[in-house]
Amino acid sequence: MPEVSNRTLLRPLALASLTANIALVVTGAAVRLTGSGLGCPTWPRCTEESYTTTPEMGINGVIEFGNRVLGIVLGLIALACFVAALLERPRRTSLVVLALVAGLGIPGQGVIGGITVLTDLNPWVVGLHFLLSMALIAVTYALWKRTFEGDRPRRSLVPAPLPALARLTAVVSAAVLVLGVVVTGSGPHAGDENAKRNGLDPEAISQAHADAVFLLIGLSVALWFALRAVRAPGAAIRAAGLLVVVELAQGLIGFVQYFTHLPVLLVGAHMLGACLVWVATLNVLWRLRERPFHEPPAAPLPAEHPTTAPAPAPVA
């Protein structure tokens, strides 16, 4: 099949890029939760004299510097993805574009990270740092999934109303992430004891966040039932069911951390859970459509009936 190129290199690199972007969120949470946000008090250097941490900076310097190093590793993986996409034969424009966007997001993260340090951990800038990570997770997930697909036009696997319901669920999932960022900016874990908060009422913002979570779970359950009702492909039904399970687990962590006054380990688990909810949401969208490598074969034409009468039998 000439249209199916060898993706043994790009596919694992794309998965590594997706995984590293999730890991960057988790290590970024560790920076904030351990009060290491200014462990390296300058940028791009760690100190005025050194690009690396020093023994005098202690564990906070190590944690912050480790997060910066992971960002560099992520950039190298993104560069490798872009080169692998260029080397594909035949080259696929969609893969090259996705790899390029994922790569350009890395220096963007570095710039926002630098602004975060230079503004003494402004909560709105910190939130933007997180949301860019969510965008990069979406791009790298798309890059990874596209290595399993062809370039034929996208084809829906379910009736028309269901993709619309899935897109609405994704929009609400994104809104939950945004509200979670606002909640974080109003809470106690600022990344440094002297960092300012956004000044909003934590209880009111947390209630709005919880309301959005209930809406998201309701939409996800409705989507699961609807997919079962129309006998959608099993992969799509399982993806919707997995989304509901991940959301319920994330919601449980969220409620426990709120009523136990935000212990560090639970907040870190909630940050990881936010990434998993987002990936599960993207997985549902992907399972409702396909891009085949080839058009399905056309149905065979019916055999033509003979138009002439059979020859008469010979006379004895």
Side-chain angles (χ1 to χ4, degrees), residues 83-156:
V83 172
L86 287 176
L87 294 178
E88 285 261 313
R89 292 295 181 271
R91 183 180 298 166
R92 299 174 64 195
T93 303
S94 59
L95 295 179
V96 174
V97 171
L98 286 170
L100 178 61
V101 172
L104 293 176
I106 306 307
Q109 282 284 50
V111 171
I112 295 175
I115 296 173
T116 299
V117 173
L118 297 177
T119 57
D120 296 325
L121 308 182
N122 181 291
W124 299 109
V125 181
V126 173
L128 183 60
H129 204 35
F130 172 78
L131 292 177
L132 179 55
S133 287
M134 293 299 103
L136 290 177
I137 286 173
V139 172
T140 52
Y141 182 85
L143 175 62
W144 176 56
K145 294 296 288 185
R146 288 289 282 118
T147 63
F148 293 91
E149 298 182 328
D151 276 330
R152 296 294 184 183
R154 186 171 58 189
R155 183 170 59 202
S156 177

Side-chain angles (χ1 to χ4, degrees), residues 1-315:
M1 296 191 301
E3 291 189 35
V4 183
S5 60
N6 184 357
R7 300 189 183 90
T8 56
L9 179 60
L10 178 58
R11 187 172 295 160
L13 283 173
L15 181 58
S17 184
L18 170 62
T19 305
N21 273 287
I22 295 174
L24 189 66
V25 172
V26 176
T27 58
V31 169
R32 182 170 57 83
L33 295 171
T34 58
S36 304
L38 296 177
C40 286
T42 63
W43 186 87
R45 296 172 183 255
C46 197
T47 70
E48 293 293 342
E49 295 79 23
S50 173
Y51 282 97
T52 63
T53 186
T54 61
E56 294 77 17
M57 302 172 71
I59 187 63
N60 288 343
V62 172
I63 293 173
E64 165 64 12
F65 181 69
N67 183 247
R68 294 187 183 190
V69 170
L70 180 58
I72 296 173
V73 173
L74 185 56
L76 294 175
I77 295 174
L79 177 61
C81 284
F82 181 66
V83 172
L86 287 176
L87 294 178
E88 285 261 313
R89 292 295 181 271
R91 183 180 298 166
R92 299 174 64 195
T93 303
S94 59
L95 295 179
V96 174
V97 171
L98 286 170
L100 178 61
V101 172
L104 293 176
I106 306 307
Q109 282 284 50
V111 171
I112 295 175
I115 296 173
T116 299
V117 173
L118 297 177
T119 57
D120 296 325
L121 308 182
N122 181 291
W124 299 109
V125 181
V126 173
L128 183 60
H129 204 35
F130 172 78
L131 292 177
L132 179 55
S133 287
M134 293 299 103
L136 290 177
I137 286 173
V139 172
T140 52
Y141 182 85
L143 175 62
W144 176 56
K145 294 296 288 185
R146 288 289 282 118
T147 63
F148 293 91
E149 298 182 328
D151 276 330
R152 296 294 184 183
R154 186 171 58 189
R155 183 170 59 202
S156 177
L157 300 176
V158 295
L162 293 185
L165 178 58
R167 288 191 291 270
L168 176 60
T169 303
V171 169
V172 174
S173 182
V176 168
L177 291 174
V178 173
L179 286 171
V181 167
V182 179
V183 171
T184 299
S186 67
H189 298 297
D192 186 82
E193 60 182 10
N194 297 318
K196 295 180 180 180
R197 304 282 70 207
N198 59 26
L200 300 176
D201 180 10
E203 185 174 350
I205 297 299
S206 296
Q207 183 61 58
H209 179 60
D211 292 342
V213 169
F214 283 126
L215 175 60
L216 175 61
I217 293 174
L219 288 171
S220 301
V221 171
L223 179 61
W224 181 74
F225 275 112
L227 290 172
R228 289 176 58 87
V230 300
R231 300 184 183 276
I237 297 174
R238 289 190 296 271
L242 178 61
L243 175 60
V244 173
V245 170
V246 174
E247 289 169 351
L248 290 175
Q250 174 72 340
L252 178 61
I253 294 173
F255 276 108
V256 173
Q257 73 167 7
Y258 180 79
F259 289 110
T260 55
H261 307 294
L262 304 176
V264 168
L265 290 179
L266 282 182
V267 175
H270 201 55
M271 295 290 290
L272 174 60
C275 297
L276 298 181
V277 168
W278 186 229
V279 171
T281 302
L282 298 172
N283 184 46
V284 171
L285 292 175
W286 224 267
R287 293 295 185 178
L288 301 185
R289 29 75 81 209
E290 67 175 356
R291 290 179 185 269
F293 284 105
H294 297 283
E295 293 291 350
L301 297 175
E304 295 184 1
H305 296 288
T307 57
T308 55
V315 179

